[in-house]
Amino acid sequence: MSGESPRVEVMHGVNLDQLGRRDPLLYGTLTLAELEARIEREAAALGLRTRFFHTNHEGEFIEHLHRLRNGADALLLNPGAWTHYAWAIRDALEIAALPAVEVHLSDVQHREAWRRVSVIGELCFATVSGRGPDGYGEALALLCDELGRGSP
Ligand code: DQA
């Protein structure tokens, strides 16, 4: 990492582009663009730079992880349903070898049993789930601490 602000790659997986149309009781009412604007603001307040990526295609998600070498200092990711079964994403995350936080808008531990499994959890130093959009801010603060920047 240089003396500049750390770069956080924020990666959204399958169906996250449909926020605003999905069940508001689970996922809130913000669109993905609104959520990203909020994340960018909160990151800037913590002295972090953000870059965003979304795809509905698992291979593109994986290739983006491959490309991150030297492109990011940390990762904040919500892979959507891939979280629960996409072992190839787990392996690509291992290759990326970056400090990572897993985020879910809904409380995946208290929904269907299949959502309690996370194939990426063991590679993330923290998981934030069930906190809605606030969870992203909490994840950024955790990343800040992990990167040795502390919260201002
Ligand atoms: C989600 C939870 C997943 O189980 C679900 O498939 C999603 C969104 C969340 O943010 O709560 O698409 O990752």
PDB file of all heavy atoms in Angstrom, residues 20-59:
ATOM      1  N   GLY A  20     -34.067  -2.415  -4.840  1.00  0.00           N
ATOM      2  CA  GLY A  20     -35.118  -1.452  -5.187  1.00  0.00           C
ATOM      3  C   GLY A  20     -36.351  -2.183  -5.712  1.00  0.00           C
ATOM      4  O   GLY A  20     -37.458  -1.666  -5.613  1.00  0.00           O
ATOM      5  N   ARG A  21     -36.132  -3.385  -6.287  1.00  0.00           N
ATOM      6  CA  ARG A  21     -37.248  -4.227  -6.752  1.00  0.00           C
ATOM      7  C   ARG A  21     -37.417  -5.448  -5.858  1.00  0.00           C
ATOM      8  O   ARG A  21     -38.417  -6.136  -5.926  1.00  0.00           O
ATOM      9  CB  ARG A  21     -36.974  -4.754  -8.165  1.00  0.00           C
ATOM     10  CG  ARG A  21     -36.982  -3.721  -9.234  1.00  0.00           C
ATOM     11  CD  ARG A  21     -36.650  -4.360 -10.569  1.00  0.00           C
ATOM     12  NE  ARG A  21     -37.641  -5.362 -10.964  1.00  0.00           N
ATOM     13  CZ  ARG A  21     -37.448  -6.255 -11.943  1.00  0.00           C
ATOM     14  NH1 ARG A  21     -36.313  -6.286 -12.598  1.00  0.00           N
ATOM     15  NH2 ARG A  21     -38.381  -7.108 -12.263  1.00  0.00           N
ATOM     16  N   ARG A  22     -36.373  -5.752  -5.081  1.00  0.00           N
ATOM     17  CA  ARG A  22     -36.408  -6.953  -4.239  1.00  0.00           C
ATOM     18  C   ARG A  22     -37.161  -6.643  -2.953  1.00  0.00           C
ATOM     19  O   ARG A  22     -37.426  -5.491  -2.635  1.00  0.00           O
ATOM     20  CB  ARG A  22     -34.980  -7.441  -3.952  1.00  0.00           C
ATOM     21  CG  ARG A  22     -34.229  -7.812  -5.222  1.00  0.00           C
ATOM     22  CD  ARG A  22     -32.864  -8.390  -4.940  1.00  0.00           C
ATOM     23  NE  ARG A  22     -32.938  -9.762  -4.437  1.00  0.00           N
ATOM     24  CZ  ARG A  22     -31.860 -10.503  -4.155  1.00  0.00           C
ATOM     25  NH1 ARG A  22     -30.646 -10.001  -4.321  1.00  0.00           N
ATOM     26  NH2 ARG A  22     -31.995 -11.731  -3.717  1.00  0.00           N
ATOM     27  N   ASP A  23     -37.512  -7.697  -2.204  1.00  0.00           N
ATOM     28  CA  ASP A  23     -38.326  -7.539  -0.992  1.00  0.00           C
ATOM     29  C   ASP A  23     -37.721  -6.473  -0.058  1.00  0.00           C
ATOM     30  O   ASP A  23     -36.640  -6.679   0.504  1.00  0.00           O
ATOM     31  CB  ASP A  23     -38.391  -8.891  -0.272  1.00  0.00           C
ATOM     32  CG  ASP A  23     -39.318  -8.857   0.932  1.00  0.00           C
ATOM     33  OD1 ASP A  23     -39.687  -7.748   1.374  1.00  0.00           O
ATOM     34  OD2 ASP A  23     -39.652  -9.944   1.438  1.00  0.00           O
ATOM     35  N   PRO A  24     -38.418  -5.342   0.107  1.00  0.00           N
ATOM     36  CA  PRO A  24     -37.843  -4.265   0.927  1.00  0.00           C
ATOM     37  C   PRO A  24     -37.681  -4.651   2.400  1.00  0.00           C
ATOM     38  O   PRO A  24     -36.830  -4.098   3.091  1.00  0.00           O
ATOM     39  CB  PRO A  24     -38.849  -3.108   0.774  1.00  0.00           C
ATOM     40  CG  PRO A  24     -40.104  -3.723   0.248  1.00  0.00           C
ATOM     41  CD  PRO A  24     -39.726  -4.988  -0.458  1.00  0.00           C
ATOM     42  N   LEU A  25     -38.472  -5.630   2.849  1.00  0.00           N
ATOM     43  CA  LEU A  25     -38.334  -6.054   4.249  1.00  0.00           C
ATOM     44  C   LEU A  25     -36.995  -6.748   4.479  1.00  0.00           C
ATOM     45  O   LEU A  25     -36.426  -6.699   5.566  1.00  0.00           O
ATOM     46  CB  LEU A  25     -39.472  -7.009   4.642  1.00  0.00           C
ATOM     47  CG  LEU A  25     -40.857  -6.380   4.662  1.00  0.00           C
ATOM     48  CD1 LEU A  25     -41.919  -7.423   4.971  1.00  0.00           C
ATOM     49  CD2 LEU A  25     -40.912  -5.236   5.674  1.00  0.00           C
ATOM     50  N   LEU A  26     -36.479  -7.380   3.434  1.00  0.00           N
ATOM     51  CA  LEU A  26     -35.186  -8.072   3.553  1.00  0.00           C
ATOM     52  C   LEU A  26     -34.033  -7.177   3.124  1.00  0.00           C
ATOM     53  O   LEU A  26     -32.959  -7.174   3.735  1.00  0.00           O
ATOM     54  CB  LEU A  26     -35.179  -9.324   2.667  1.00  0.00           C
ATOM     55  CG  LEU A  26     -36.072 -10.474   3.122  1.00  0.00           C
ATOM     56  CD1 LEU A  26     -36.170 -11.519   2.020  1.00  0.00           C
ATOM     57  CD2 LEU A  26     -35.506 -11.103   4.392  1.00  0.00           C
ATOM     58  N   TYR A  27     -34.265  -6.417   2.042  1.00  0.00           N
ATOM     59  CA  TYR A  27     -33.145  -5.742   1.385  1.00  0.00           C
ATOM     60  C   TYR A  27     -33.225  -4.220   1.409  1.00  0.00           C
ATOM     61  O   TYR A  27     -32.332  -3.552   0.880  1.00  0.00           O
ATOM     62  CB  TYR A  27     -33.044  -6.238  -0.067  1.00  0.00           C
ATOM     63  CG  TYR A  27     -32.834  -7.732  -0.164  1.00  0.00           C
ATOM     64  CD1 TYR A  27     -33.798  -8.570  -0.720  1.00  0.00           C
ATOM     65  CD2 TYR A  27     -31.674  -8.320   0.321  1.00  0.00           C
ATOM     66  CE1 TYR A  27     -33.605  -9.949  -0.805  1.00  0.00           C
ATOM     67  CE2 TYR A  27     -31.468  -9.692   0.248  1.00  0.00           C
ATOM     68  CZ  TYR A  27     -32.442 -10.496  -0.317  1.00  0.00           C
ATOM     69  OH  TYR A  27     -32.237 -11.857  -0.389  1.00  0.00           O
ATOM     70  N   GLY A  28     -34.287  -3.661   1.998  1.00  0.00           N
ATOM     71  CA  GLY A  28     -34.417  -2.207   2.036  1.00  0.00           C
ATOM     72  C   GLY A  28     -34.920  -1.658   0.710  1.00  0.00           C
ATOM     73  O   GLY A  28     -35.316  -2.413  -0.189  1.00  0.00           O
ATOM     74  N   THR A  29     -34.887  -0.353   0.587  1.00  0.00           N
ATOM     75  CA  THR A  29     -35.489   0.298  -0.579  1.00  0.00           C
ATOM     76  C   THR A  29     -34.464   0.978  -1.490  1.00  0.00           C
ATOM     77  O   THR A  29     -34.814   1.463  -2.558  1.00  0.00           O
ATOM     78  CB  THR A  29     -36.507   1.379  -0.118  1.00  0.00           C
ATOM     79  OG1 THR A  29     -35.823   2.259   0.766  1.00  0.00           O
ATOM     80  CG2 THR A  29     -37.694   0.752   0.593  1.00  0.00           C
ATOM     81  N   LEU A  30     -33.210   1.029  -1.080  1.00  0.00           N
ATOM     82  CA  LEU A  30     -32.201   1.695  -1.914  1.00  0.00           C
ATOM     83  C   LEU A  30     -31.928   0.893  -3.181  1.00  0.00           C
ATOM     84  O   LEU A  30     -31.901  -0.331  -3.156  1.00  0.00           O
ATOM     85  CB  LEU A  30     -30.865   1.826  -1.158  1.00  0.00           C
ATOM     86  CG  LEU A  30     -30.797   2.701   0.086  1.00  0.00           C
ATOM     87  CD1 LEU A  30     -29.350   2.788   0.571  1.00  0.00           C
ATOM     88  CD2 LEU A  30     -31.349   4.085  -0.197  1.00  0.00           C
ATOM     89  N   THR A  31     -31.718   1.610  -4.288  1.00  0.00           N
ATOM     90  CA  THR A  31     -31.222   0.945  -5.500  1.00  0.00           C
ATOM     91  C   THR A  31     -29.722   0.718  -5.319  1.00  0.00           C
ATOM     92  O   THR A  31     -29.094   1.282  -4.404  1.00  0.00           O
ATOM     93  CB  THR A  31     -31.439   1.841  -6.735  1.00  0.00           C
ATOM     94  OG1 THR A  31     -30.641   3.021  -6.566  1.00  0.00           O
ATOM     95  CG2 THR A  31     -32.905   2.195  -6.920  1.00  0.00           C
ATOM     96  N   LEU A  32     -29.156  -0.063  -6.235  1.00  0.00           N
ATOM     97  CA  LEU A  32     -27.708  -0.312  -6.134  1.00  0.00           C
ATOM     98  C   LEU A  32     -26.930   0.998  -6.290  1.00  0.00           C
ATOM     99  O   LEU A  32     -25.957   1.235  -5.564  1.00  0.00           O
ATOM    100  CB  LEU A  32     -27.270  -1.340  -7.186  1.00  0.00           C
ATOM    101  CG  LEU A  32     -25.800  -1.760  -7.104  1.00  0.00           C
ATOM    102  CD1 LEU A  32     -25.464  -2.373  -5.752  1.00  0.00           C
ATOM    103  CD2 LEU A  32     -25.463  -2.744  -8.229  1.00  0.00           C
ATOM    104  N   ALA A  33     -27.382   1.859  -7.205  1.00  0.00           N
ATOM    105  CA  ALA A  33     -26.678   3.137  -7.411  1.00  0.00           C
ATOM    106  C   ALA A  33     -26.735   3.982  -6.133  1.00  0.00           C
ATOM    107  O   ALA A  33     -25.738   4.616  -5.750  1.00  0.00           O
ATOM    108  CB  ALA A  33     -27.303   3.889  -8.580  1.00  0.00           C
ATOM    109  N   GLU A  34     -27.888   3.982  -5.480  1.00  0.00           N
ATOM    110  CA  GLU A  34     -28.015   4.758  -4.228  1.00  0.00           C
ATOM    111  C   GLU A  34     -27.141   4.158  -3.123  1.00  0.00           C
ATOM    112  O   GLU A  34     -26.513   4.881  -2.341  1.00  0.00           O
ATOM    113  CB  GLU A  34     -29.487   4.801  -3.794  1.00  0.00           C
ATOM    114  CG  GLU A  34     -30.349   5.671  -4.705  1.00  0.00           C
ATOM    115  CD  GLU A  34     -31.846   5.447  -4.533  1.00  0.00           C
ATOM    116  OE1 GLU A  34     -32.261   4.425  -3.923  1.00  0.00           O
ATOM    117  OE2 GLU A  34     -32.612   6.276  -5.034  1.00  0.00           O
ATOM    118  N   LEU A  35     -27.125   2.834  -3.080  1.00  0.00           N
ATOM    119  CA  LEU A  35     -26.283   2.169  -2.074  1.00  0.00           C
ATOM    120  C   LEU A  35     -24.809   2.498  -2.315  1.00  0.00           C
ATOM    121  O   LEU A  35     -24.065   2.824  -1.377  1.00  0.00           O
ATOM    122  CB  LEU A  35     -26.521   0.648  -2.135  1.00  0.00           C
ATOM    123  CG  LEU A  35     -25.688  -0.207  -1.188  1.00  0.00           C
ATOM    124  CD1 LEU A  35     -25.996   0.125   0.272  1.00  0.00           C
ATOM    125  CD2 LEU A  35     -25.920  -1.702  -1.447  1.00  0.00           C
ATOM    126  N   GLU A  36     -24.403   2.471  -3.576  1.00  0.00           N
ATOM    127  CA  GLU A  36     -22.997   2.754  -3.882  1.00  0.00           C
ATOM    128  C   GLU A  36     -22.630   4.195  -3.537  1.00  0.00           C
ATOM    129  O   GLU A  36     -21.532   4.454  -3.028  1.00  0.00           O
ATOM    130  CB  GLU A  36     -22.713   2.467  -5.361  1.00  0.00           C
ATOM    131  CG  GLU A  36     -22.688   0.980  -5.652  1.00  0.00           C
ATOM    132  CD  GLU A  36     -22.292   0.622  -7.070  1.00  0.00           C
ATOM    133  OE1 GLU A  36     -22.279   1.507  -7.950  1.00  0.00           O
ATOM    134  OE2 GLU A  36     -22.009  -0.560  -7.298  1.00  0.00           O
ATOM    135  N   ALA A  37     -23.552   5.119  -3.803  1.00  0.00           N
ATOM    136  CA  ALA A  37     -23.272   6.530  -3.477  1.00  0.00           C
ATOM    137  C   ALA A  37     -23.060   6.680  -1.970  1.00  0.00           C
ATOM    138  O   ALA A  37     -22.161   7.388  -1.510  1.00  0.00           O
ATOM    139  CB  ALA A  37     -24.420   7.414  -3.953  1.00  0.00           C
ATOM    140  N   ARG A  38     -23.877   5.948  -1.223  1.00  0.00           N
ATOM    141  CA  ARG A  38     -23.760   6.006   0.241  1.00  0.00           C
ATOM    142  C   ARG A  38     -22.442   5.385   0.715  1.00  0.00           C
ATOM    143  O   ARG A  38     -21.752   5.938   1.573  1.00  0.00           O
ATOM    144  CB  ARG A  38     -24.962   5.257   0.828  1.00  0.00           C
ATOM    145  CG  ARG A  38     -24.980   5.249   2.307  1.00  0.00           C
ATOM    146  CD  ARG A  38     -26.218   4.566   2.838  1.00  0.00           C
ATOM    147  NE  ARG A  38     -25.951   4.243   4.232  1.00  0.00           N
ATOM    148  CZ  ARG A  38     -26.871   3.979   5.108  1.00  0.00           C
ATOM    149  NH1 ARG A  38     -28.128   3.991   4.779  1.00  0.00           N
ATOM    150  NH2 ARG A  38     -26.540   3.709   6.354  1.00  0.00           N
ATOM    151  N   ILE A  39     -22.083   4.252   0.128  1.00  0.00           N
ATOM    152  CA  ILE A  39     -20.821   3.589   0.495  1.00  0.00           C
ATOM    153  C   ILE A  39     -19.639   4.509   0.175  1.00  0.00           C
ATOM    154  O   ILE A  39     -18.711   4.659   0.975  1.00  0.00           O
ATOM    155  CB  ILE A  39     -20.668   2.245  -0.254  1.00  0.00           C
ATOM    156  CG1 ILE A  39     -21.747   1.244   0.179  1.00  0.00           C
ATOM    157  CG2 ILE A  39     -19.284   1.652  -0.042  1.00  0.00           C
ATOM    158  CD1 ILE A  39     -21.840  -0.011  -0.711  1.00  0.00           C
ATOM    159  N   GLU A  40     -19.699   5.154  -0.996  1.00  0.00           N
ATOM    160  CA  GLU A  40     -18.600   6.036  -1.404  1.00  0.00           C
ATOM    161  C   GLU A  40     -18.424   7.190  -0.405  1.00  0.00           C
ATOM    162  O   GLU A  40     -17.308   7.523  -0.023  1.00  0.00           O
ATOM    163  CB  GLU A  40     -18.894   6.576  -2.806  1.00  0.00           C
ATOM    164  CG  GLU A  40     -17.705   7.267  -3.417  1.00  0.00           C
ATOM    165  CD  GLU A  40     -17.931   7.652  -4.879  1.00  0.00           C
ATOM    166  OE1 GLU A  40     -19.092   7.598  -5.343  1.00  0.00           O
ATOM    167  OE2 GLU A  40     -16.957   8.008  -5.532  1.00  0.00           O
ATOM    168  N   ARG A  41     -19.547   7.763   0.012  1.00  0.00           N
ATOM    169  CA  ARG A  41     -19.504   8.862   1.005  1.00  0.00           C
ATOM    170  C   ARG A  41     -18.908   8.388   2.319  1.00  0.00           C
ATOM    171  O   ARG A  41     -18.033   9.041   2.897  1.00  0.00           O
ATOM    172  CB  ARG A  41     -20.927   9.362   1.285  1.00  0.00           C
ATOM    173  CG  ARG A  41     -21.415  10.466   0.385  1.00  0.00           C
ATOM    174  CD  ARG A  41     -22.610  11.209   1.003  1.00  0.00           C
ATOM    175  NE  ARG A  41     -23.659  10.367   1.530  1.00  0.00           N
ATOM    176  CZ  ARG A  41     -24.664   9.848   0.802  1.00  0.00           C
ATOM    177  NH1 ARG A  41     -24.731  10.099  -0.490  1.00  0.00           N
ATOM    178  NH2 ARG A  41     -25.588   9.098   1.360  1.00  0.00           N
ATOM    179  N   GLU A  42     -19.371   7.235   2.785  1.00  0.00           N
ATOM    180  CA  GLU A  42     -18.899   6.734   4.079  1.00  0.00           C
ATOM    181  C   GLU A  42     -17.425   6.354   4.010  1.00  0.00           C
ATOM    182  O   GLU A  42     -16.675   6.580   4.962  1.00  0.00           O
ATOM    183  CB  GLU A  42     -19.754   5.534   4.519  1.00  0.00           C
ATOM    184  CG  GLU A  42     -21.158   5.972   4.886  1.00  0.00           C
ATOM    185  CD  GLU A  42     -22.096   4.823   5.233  1.00  0.00           C
ATOM    186  OE1 GLU A  42     -21.764   3.656   4.937  1.00  0.00           O
ATOM    187  OE2 GLU A  42     -23.158   5.096   5.792  1.00  0.00           O
ATOM    188  N   ALA A  43     -17.028   5.817   2.871  1.00  0.00           N
ATOM    189  CA  ALA A  43     -15.619   5.443   2.709  1.00  0.00           C
ATOM    190  C   ALA A  43     -14.748   6.698   2.720  1.00  0.00           C
ATOM    191  O   ALA A  43     -13.701   6.735   3.379  1.00  0.00           O
ATOM    192  CB  ALA A  43     -15.434   4.669   1.406  1.00  0.00           C
ATOM    193  N   ALA A  44     -15.182   7.731   1.994  1.00  0.00           N
ATOM    194  CA  ALA A  44     -14.393   8.973   1.927  1.00  0.00           C
ATOM    195  C   ALA A  44     -14.217   9.562   3.326  1.00  0.00           C
ATOM    196  O   ALA A  44     -13.139  10.047   3.681  1.00  0.00           O
ATOM    197  CB  ALA A  44     -15.075   9.969   0.996  1.00  0.00           C
ATOM    198  N   ALA A  45     -15.279   9.480   4.136  1.00  0.00           N
ATOM    199  CA  ALA A  45     -15.199  10.015   5.503  1.00  0.00           C
ATOM    200  C   ALA A  45     -14.172   9.243   6.329  1.00  0.00           C
ATOM    201  O   ALA A  45     -13.607   9.773   7.291  1.00  0.00           O
ATOM    202  CB  ALA A  45     -16.577   9.957   6.167  1.00  0.00           C
ATOM    203  N   LEU A  46     -13.924   7.996   5.954  1.00  0.00           N
ATOM    204  CA  LEU A  46     -12.939   7.169   6.668  1.00  0.00           C
ATOM    205  C   LEU A  46     -11.559   7.247   6.007  1.00  0.00           C
ATOM    206  O   LEU A  46     -10.620   6.575   6.418  1.00  0.00           O
ATOM    207  CB  LEU A  46     -13.397   5.704   6.672  1.00  0.00           C
ATOM    208  CG  LEU A  46     -14.616   5.355   7.529  1.00  0.00           C
ATOM    209  CD1 LEU A  46     -15.129   3.961   7.192  1.00  0.00           C
ATOM    210  CD2 LEU A  46     -14.274   5.435   9.011  1.00  0.00           C
ATOM    211  N   GLY A  47     -11.451   8.054   4.948  1.00  0.00           N
ATOM    212  CA  GLY A  47     -10.166   8.170   4.245  1.00  0.00           C
ATOM    213  C   GLY A  47      -9.877   6.999   3.321  1.00  0.00           C
ATOM    214  O   GLY A  47      -8.720   6.668   3.056  1.00  0.00           O
ATOM    215  N   LEU A  48     -10.931   6.358   2.815  1.00  0.00           N
ATOM    216  CA  LEU A  48     -10.750   5.225   1.905  1.00  0.00           C
ATOM    217  C   LEU A  48     -11.266   5.591   0.515  1.00  0.00           C
ATOM    218  O   LEU A  48     -12.252   6.312   0.393  1.00  0.00           O
ATOM    219  CB  LEU A  48     -11.553   4.005   2.402  1.00  0.00           C
ATOM    220  CG  LEU A  48     -11.238   3.481   3.800  1.00  0.00           C
ATOM    221  CD1 LEU A  48     -12.273   2.437   4.216  1.00  0.00           C
ATOM    222  CD2 LEU A  48      -9.836   2.885   3.851  1.00  0.00           C
ATOM    223  N   ARG A  49     -10.591   5.077  -0.505  1.00  0.00           N
ATOM    224  CA  ARG A  49     -11.095   5.219  -1.871  1.00  0.00           C
ATOM    225  C   ARG A  49     -11.869   3.960  -2.241  1.00  0.00           C
ATOM    226  O   ARG A  49     -11.488   2.866  -1.816  1.00  0.00           O
ATOM    227  CB  ARG A  49      -9.926   5.373  -2.854  1.00  0.00           C
ATOM    228  CG  ARG A  49      -9.283   6.731  -2.809  1.00  0.00           C
ATOM    229  CD  ARG A  49      -8.149   6.811  -3.819  1.00  0.00           C
ATOM    230  NE  ARG A  49      -6.992   6.054  -3.360  1.00  0.00           N
ATOM    231  CZ  ARG A  49      -5.956   5.731  -4.146  1.00  0.00           C
ATOM    232  NH1 ARG A  49      -5.966   6.063  -5.417  1.00  0.00           N
ATOM    233  NH2 ARG A  49      -4.922   5.069  -3.666  1.00  0.00           N
ATOM    234  N   THR A  50     -12.912   4.130  -3.030  1.00  0.00           N
ATOM    235  CA  THR A  50     -13.704   2.958  -3.401  1.00  0.00           C
ATOM    236  C   THR A  50     -13.770   2.820  -4.917  1.00  0.00           C
ATOM    237  O   THR A  50     -13.732   3.807  -5.655  1.00  0.00           O
ATOM    238  CB  THR A  50     -15.166   3.082  -2.899  1.00  0.00           C
ATOM    239  OG1 THR A  50     -15.606   4.407  -3.118  1.00  0.00           O
ATOM    240  CG2 THR A  50     -15.286   2.706  -1.453  1.00  0.00           C
ATOM    241  N   ARG A  51     -13.902   1.564  -5.348  1.00  0.00           N
ATOM    242  CA  ARG A  51     -14.225   1.276  -6.738  1.00  0.00           C
ATOM    243  C   ARG A  51     -15.271   0.174  -6.696  1.00  0.00           C
ATOM    244  O   ARG A  51     -15.208  -0.712  -5.841  1.00  0.00           O
ATOM    245  CB  ARG A  51     -12.976   0.798  -7.478  1.00  0.00           C
ATOM    246  CG  ARG A  51     -13.124   0.900  -8.980  1.00  0.00           C
ATOM    247  CD  ARG A  51     -11.838   0.577  -9.687  1.00  0.00           C
ATOM    248  NE  ARG A  51     -11.484  -0.825  -9.469  1.00  0.00           N
ATOM    249  CZ  ARG A  51     -10.482  -1.437 -10.096  1.00  0.00           C
ATOM    250  NH1 ARG A  51      -9.719  -0.766 -10.929  1.00  0.00           N
ATOM    251  NH2 ARG A  51     -10.211  -2.705  -9.870  1.00  0.00           N
ATOM    252  N   PHE A  52     -16.248   0.259  -7.602  1.00  0.00           N
ATOM    253  CA  PHE A  52     -17.390  -0.656  -7.542  1.00  0.00           C
ATOM    254  C   PHE A  52     -17.419  -1.582  -8.732  1.00  0.00           C
ATOM    255  O   PHE A  52     -17.053  -1.202  -9.847  1.00  0.00           O
ATOM    256  CB  PHE A  52     -18.700   0.151  -7.479  1.00  0.00           C
ATOM    257  CG  PHE A  52     -18.796   1.005  -6.247  1.00  0.00           C
ATOM    258  CD1 PHE A  52     -18.400   2.333  -6.272  1.00  0.00           C
ATOM    259  CD2 PHE A  52     -19.243   0.467  -5.056  1.00  0.00           C
ATOM    260  CE1 PHE A  52     -18.465   3.122  -5.133  1.00  0.00           C
ATOM    261  CE2 PHE A  52     -19.310   1.244  -3.906  1.00  0.00           C
ATOM    262  CZ  PHE A  52     -18.925   2.575  -3.951  1.00  0.00           C
ATOM    263  N   PHE A  53     -17.912  -2.790  -8.477  1.00  0.00           N
ATOM    264  CA  PHE A  53     -18.059  -3.765  -9.550  1.00  0.00           C
ATOM    265  C   PHE A  53     -19.303  -4.592  -9.278  1.00  0.00           C
ATOM    266  O   PHE A  53     -19.522  -5.036  -8.148  1.00  0.00           O
ATOM    267  CB  PHE A  53     -16.835  -4.692  -9.606  1.00  0.00           C
ATOM    268  CG  PHE A  53     -16.927  -5.740 -10.681  1.00  0.00           C
ATOM    269  CD1 PHE A  53     -16.649  -5.430 -12.006  1.00  0.00           C
ATOM    270  CD2 PHE A  53     -17.310  -7.044 -10.370  1.00  0.00           C
ATOM    271  CE1 PHE A  53     -16.751  -6.391 -13.002  1.00  0.00           C
ATOM    272  CE2 PHE A  53     -17.415  -8.012 -11.362  1.00  0.00           C
ATOM    273  CZ  PHE A  53     -17.133  -7.682 -12.679  1.00  0.00           C
ATOM    274  N   HIS A  54     -20.127  -4.756 -10.324  1.00  0.00           N
ATOM    275  CA  HIS A  54     -21.264  -5.676 -10.217  1.00  0.00           C
ATOM    276  C   HIS A  54     -21.349  -6.521 -11.468  1.00  0.00           C
ATOM    277  O   HIS A  54     -21.118  -6.042 -12.585  1.00  0.00           O
ATOM    278  CB  HIS A  54     -22.604  -4.935 -10.058  1.00  0.00           C
ATOM    279  CG  HIS A  54     -23.748  -5.868 -10.338  1.00  0.00           C
ATOM    280  ND1 HIS A  54     -24.345  -5.963 -11.580  1.00  0.00           N
ATOM    281  CD2 HIS A  54     -24.326  -6.814  -9.562  1.00  0.00           C
ATOM    282  CE1 HIS A  54     -25.253  -6.925 -11.550  1.00  0.00           C
ATOM    283  NE2 HIS A  54     -25.269  -7.455 -10.333  1.00  0.00           N
ATOM    284  N   THR A  55     -21.716  -7.787 -11.290  1.00  0.00           N
ATOM    285  CA  THR A  55     -22.049  -8.629 -12.440  1.00  0.00           C
ATOM    286  C   THR A  55     -23.040  -9.695 -11.988  1.00  0.00           C
ATOM    287  O   THR A  55     -23.084 -10.064 -10.812  1.00  0.00           O
ATOM    288  CB  THR A  55     -20.802  -9.306 -13.035  1.00  0.00           C
ATOM    289  OG1 THR A  55     -21.212 -10.123 -14.142  1.00  0.00           O
ATOM    290  CG2 THR A  55     -20.085 -10.187 -12.028  1.00  0.00           C
ATOM    291  N   ASN A  56     -23.820 -10.187 -12.973  1.00  0.00           N
ATOM    292  CA  ASN A  56     -24.687 -11.341 -12.719  1.00  0.00           C
ATOM    293  C   ASN A  56     -24.055 -12.626 -13.243  1.00  0.00           C
ATOM    294  O   ASN A  56     -24.720 -13.670 -13.254  1.00  0.00           O
ATOM    295  CB  ASN A  56     -26.056 -11.128 -13.393  1.00  0.00           C
ATOM    296  CG  ASN A  56     -26.886 -10.112 -12.629  1.00  0.00           C
ATOM    297  OD1 ASN A  56     -26.947 -10.149 -11.396  1.00  0.00           O
ATOM    298  ND2 ASN A  56     -27.527  -9.194 -13.336  1.00  0.00           N
ATOM    299  N   HIS A  57     -22.794 -12.544 -13.685  1.00  0.00           N
ATOM    300  CA  HIS A  57     -22.140 -13.701 -14.296  1.00  0.00           C
ATOM    301  C   HIS A  57     -20.971 -14.169 -13.423  1.00  0.00           C
ATOM    302  O   HIS A  57     -20.021 -13.421 -13.202  1.00  0.00           O
ATOM    303  CB  HIS A  57     -21.667 -13.335 -15.702  1.00  0.00           C
ATOM    304  CG  HIS A  57     -22.806 -12.878 -16.574  1.00  0.00           C
ATOM    305  ND1 HIS A  57     -23.638 -13.753 -17.229  1.00  0.00           N
ATOM    306  CD2 HIS A  57     -23.295 -11.632 -16.809  1.00  0.00           C
ATOM    307  CE1 HIS A  57     -24.582 -13.075 -17.863  1.00  0.00           C
ATOM    308  NE2 HIS A  57     -24.394 -11.778 -17.615  1.00  0.00           N
ATOM    309  N   GLU A  58     -21.062 -15.394 -12.979  1.00  0.00           N
ATOM    310  CA  GLU A  58     -20.074 -15.897 -12.020  1.00  0.00           C
ATOM    311  C   GLU A  58     -18.646 -15.815 -12.566  1.00  0.00           C
ATOM    312  O   GLU A  58     -17.714 -15.421 -11.848  1.00  0.00           O
ATOM    313  CB  GLU A  58     -20.429 -17.344 -11.638  1.00  0.00           C
ATOM    314  CG  GLU A  58     -19.527 -17.889 -10.549  1.00  0.00           C
ATOM    315  CD  GLU A  58     -19.863 -19.323 -10.163  1.00  0.00           C
ATOM    316  OE1 GLU A  58     -20.990 -19.789 -10.450  1.00  0.00           O
ATOM    317  OE2 GLU A  58     -18.988 -19.972  -9.577  1.00  0.00           O
ATOM    318  N   GLY A  59     -18.464 -16.176 -13.851  1.00  0.00           N
ATOM    319  CA  GLY A  59     -17.118 -16.138 -14.432  1.00  0.00           C
ATOM    320  C   GLY A  59     -16.542 -14.725 -14.446  1.00  0.00           C
ATOM    321  O   GLY A  59     -15.340 -14.537 -14.229  1.00  0.00           O
TER     322      GLY A  59
END
